[in-house]
């Protein structure tokens, strides 16, 4: 059932939702949360379809906020709210209100959304595109317990990750992080099967894919080893190679659907790593509304530290790698000078009959070390 409202108010939209539920014979509200989607007209259809599919697992009231562009100065100074209310089969297992904001009211979308929130229910705000730099400080984001963005939709995804790290607030999450959940589960299970120490990691995937960067940062943060980021033609993540003291552990997915897990000493096995759609990603995010501390730790590790490699790992241990190299290079000339001094002393202390044992390089090094 659809109800179209033109130049309306939040109160009229609430009445339309109640009338729609009564018309289809379900006056009771059985929804568990409010999902607010902030998008543009171009991406509204895909986002609403994904939310409708996810509502089969999480019945919710979905509010789609679309800020329409005003073409004339008169339109920009005015305000108008149009709404499309959907209940029943048109809205999945919940109910939907598509809100189109014109003029000055588009700058105050929170005042329209606030009266439409379900009472005593969590609020999740999702920006499929054009997410604010600080979601928690956004007027709509301030209403939510969970704020979902997608750095993959940004113009510069890797730079966007750095901005997300600077403004992170508990409750923020990213669909680029959600996409690598099966990879993280599979890699953790693979390491549980071996009693080895990981020495280095290589993450391979297409360029400008924030999921590859997040997986690399998660591995570097958790394992404390150098992680190399290499490029491939995709799709998405294609391989993770871990060098361990027991041999290589490789998770390779070349076609975006079926992967192969190889562990030295064990037969290779096929594992399902199908690339998931947006509906599955949103459904996963709605399963938990508490802060994701693992995502926060990976995000704060920093994209810049990935390029530092072993230097970053050495710095975590308290001594930068460059300092260790300088100390080693300074130590070698000093040892050479000490050995030379001992050699001169031995040659001068030789007996006239030549009965004394001729010094060897090893004996000279031992005497130099004793000094």
């Amino acid at each position: 059932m659809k109800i179209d409202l033109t130049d309306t108010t939040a109160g009229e939209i609430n009445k339309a939702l109640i009338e729609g539920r009564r018309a289809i014979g379900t006056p009771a509200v059985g929804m568990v949360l409010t999902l607010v989607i902030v998008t543009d007209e171009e991406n509204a259809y895909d986002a609403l379809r994904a939310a409708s599919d996810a509502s089969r697992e999480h019945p919710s009231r979905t509010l789609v906020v679309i800020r329409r562009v005003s073409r004339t100065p008169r339109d920009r100074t005015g305000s108008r709210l149009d709404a499309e209310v959907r209940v029943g089969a048109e809205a999945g297992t919940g109910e939907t209100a598509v809100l189109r904001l014109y003029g000055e009211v588009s700058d105050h979308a929170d005042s329209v959304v606030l009266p439409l929130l379900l009472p005593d229910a969590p609020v999740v705000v999702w920006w499929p595109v054009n997410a604010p730099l600080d979601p928690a400080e956004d007027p709509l984001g301030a209403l939510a317990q969970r704020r979902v963005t997608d750095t993959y939709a940004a113009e510069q995804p890797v730079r966007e990750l750095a901005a997300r790290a600077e403004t992170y607030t508990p409750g923020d999450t990213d669909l680029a992080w959600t996409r690598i959940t099966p990879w993280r589960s599979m890699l953790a299970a693979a390491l549980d099967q071996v009693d080895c120490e990981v020495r280095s990691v290589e993450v391979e995937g297409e360029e400008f894919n924030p999921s590859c960067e997040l997986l690399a940062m998660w591995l570097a943060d958790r394992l404390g080893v150098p992680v190399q980021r290499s490029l491939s033609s995709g799709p998405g993540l294609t391989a993770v190679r871990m060098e361990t003291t027991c041999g290589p552990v490789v998770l390779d997915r070349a076609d975006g659907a079926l992967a192969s897990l190889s562990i030295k000493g064990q037969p290779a096995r096929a594992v399902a790593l199908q690339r998931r759609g947006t509906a599955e990603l949103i459904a996963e995010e709605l399963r938990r509304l508490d802060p994701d501390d693992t995502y926060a730790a990976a995000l704060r590790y920093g994209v810049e530290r990935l390029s530092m490699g072993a230097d970053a790992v050495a710095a975590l241990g308290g001594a930068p790698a460059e300092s260790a190299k300088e100390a080693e290079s300074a130590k070698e000339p000093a040892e050479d000078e000490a050995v030379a001094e001992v050699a001169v002393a031995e040659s001068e202390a030789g007996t006239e009959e030549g009965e004394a044992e001729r010094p060897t390089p090893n004996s000279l090094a031992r005497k130099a070390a004793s000094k």
Side-chain angles (χ1 to χ4, degrees):
M1 179 178 180
K2 291 184 181 180
I3 303 174
D4 291 326
L5 302 172
T6 303
D7 197 5
T8 186
T9 62
E12 293 297 326
I13 297 172
N14 252 327
K15 291 180 182 178
L17 288 169
I18 296 173
E19 291 175 2
R21 287 200 303 269
R22 289 175 177 171
I24 63 174
T26 56
V29 178
M31 289 158 286
V32 298
L33 58 88
T34 302
L35 175 61
V36 181
I37 304 174
V38 187
T39 184
D40 53 19
E41 199 71 63
E42 179 183 358
N43 297 277
Y45 174 80
D46 292 333
L48 186 54
R49 182 176 179 180
S52 178
D53 292 341
S55 70
R56 295 187 176 92
E57 184 177 341
H58 309 278
S60 59
R61 172 177 288 182
T62 303
L63 306 176
V64 184
V65 178
I66 303 174
R67 295 183 172 97
R68 298 299 300 268
V69 178
S70 301
R71 298 182 178 180
T72 64
R74 179 180 297 178
D75 292 338
R76 285 192 289 270
T77 56
S79 294
R80 196 180 89 204
L81 170 63
D82 294 344
E84 181 183 327
V85 176
R86 305 177 186 180
V87 293
E90 298 287 345
T93 59
E95 55 190 23
T96 301
V98 181
L99 313 174
R100 291 182 170 87
L101 285 62
Y102 301 81
E104 292 185 353
V105 72
S106 62
D107 296 329
H108 305 280
D110 54 315
S111 62
V112 177
V113 169
L114 186 59
L116 301 176
L117 301 179
L118 289 173
D120 302 324
V123 179
V124 178
V125 178
W126 171 32
W127 291 270
V129 293
N130 301 326
L133 293 177
D134 191 348
E137 292 296 324
D138 185 83
L140 286 174
L143 302 175
Q145 286 78 36
R146 192 78 160 171
R147 295 165 293 275
V148 184
T149 59
D150 191 356
T151 52
Y152 188 78
E155 185 176 351
Q156 296 179 323
V158 177
R159 183 176 297 180
E160 190 80 5
L161 286 177
R164 292 280 173 263
E166 293 178 0
T167 62
Y168 174 80
T169 302
D172 293 353
T173 190
D174 191 344
L175 292 187
W177 172 256
T178 315
R179 290 185 181 96
I180 62 174
T181 299
W183 284 83
R184 294 189 293 120
S185 301
M186 194 60 62
L187 292 171
L191 291 180
D192 286 341
Q193 300 178 34
V194 296
D195 186 14
C196 303
E197 180 181 350
V198 181
R199 292 178 173 173
S200 64
V201 180
E202 178 186 1
V203 176
E204 180 186 271
E206 63 184 359
E207 192 175 7
F208 307 120
N209 190 314
S211 296
C212 301
E213 310 296 337
L214 281 170
L215 182 61
M217 291 189 289
W218 174 70
L219 288 168
D221 177 67
R222 286 294 176 176
L223 299 177
V225 299
V227 177
Q228 179 185 354
R229 172 74 166 89
S230 59
L231 303 180
S232 70
S233 58
L237 269 164
T238 52
V240 175
R241 303 177 182 89
M242 296 185 288
E243 292 295 333
T244 73
T245 53
C246 303
V249 176
V250 180
L251 183 59
D252 191 351
R253 186 191 68 177
D255 60 356
L258 191 64
S260 174
L261 177 62
S262 303
I263 301 176
K264 187 174 182 180
Q266 301 181 17
R269 69 201 73 174
V271 294
L273 276 180
Q274 175 71 36
R275 302 189 76 194
R276 299 180 295 169
T278 307
E280 294 181 72
L281 302 176
I282 286 295
E284 179 183 329
E285 284 300 332
L286 297 181
R287 290 186 196 122
R288 53 173 297 176
L289 301 179
D290 56 317
D292 192 342
D293 296 332
T294 307
Y295 165 69
L299 192 63
R300 286 170 174 162
Y301 182 87
V303 179
E304 299 82 2
R305 290 173 64 182
L306 286 178
S307 59
M308 297 172 63
D311 294 344
V313 176
L316 290 176
E322 288 299 327
S323 300
K325 292 178 182 177
E326 292 175 0
E328 186 66 24
S329 60
K331 179 181 177 183
E332 291 177 357
E335 290 181 349
D336 293 341
E337 292 177 2
V339 171
E341 292 178 2
V342 174
V344 173
E346 289 288 344
S347 62
E348 292 177 353
T351 59
E352 294 180 359
E353 292 88 1
E355 295 178 354
E357 181 182 0
R358 186 172 183 176
T360 64
N362 289 338
S363 63
L364 295 177
R366 287 194 297 270
K367 292 184 179 181
S370 64
K371 288 188 176 185

